[in-house]
Each structure stands twice: as C-alpha cells, then as structure tokens.
Amino acid sequence: MTIIEMLGQSGLLTLLGMCVVFGFIIILIICMKLLQVVIHALKLDKEEPAAPANKAAAPDNNAVVAAIAAAVHDKVLKS
C-alpha cells in the first residue's frame, strides 16, 4: 500500500467520521425540538413563582444601600 493510498483512505475515514458526528448532532437537535413541542403542548413549561422561604431572612435593599452609604461616608471622613 503506497503513501497516496493511505492518505486517500485516511481522508475518506475522516469524512466518514465527520458525517457520523454531524448526523448525530442533527438527530439530537431534532429530538430537542420535538421535546420542546411536546412540553409546550402539555403546558409543562409554565414556571410557578417561588415563594421565599423566610421573608425576614431576605435583607431589604434600602437597608443595604444605607449601610454601604454609611460605610463609604465614614471612610471618607476618616481619610
């Protein structure tokens, strides 16, 4: 077997492998689109709002902003 024949076979094998990979990717995309249609048809894609576990555990944004502003103001006064 000559070098030219081996290069031809390796090129053919490379193309065959690439076709298999791209074929699998296309099949995967088709399955995902089909799953999207089924999920949407069964109305399973609606998200329910999650209730916070503990309202007191979540800090108030105004309190956080006030604490940061106080820290920055204190730092500016000390420098």
Side-chain angles (χ1 to χ4, degrees), residues 1-17:
M1 179 175 272
T2 65
I3 298 285
I4 301 296
E5 290 173 346
M6 287 192 294
L7 285 175
Q9 282 185 348
S10 64
L12 184 63
L13 186 61
T14 301
L15 287 176
L16 181 64

Side-chain angles (χ1 to χ4, degrees), residues 65-79:
V65 171
I68 292 172
V72 169
H73 182 66
D74 187 45
K75 180 71 174 173
V76 169
L77 289 178
K78 287 184 180 180
S79 59

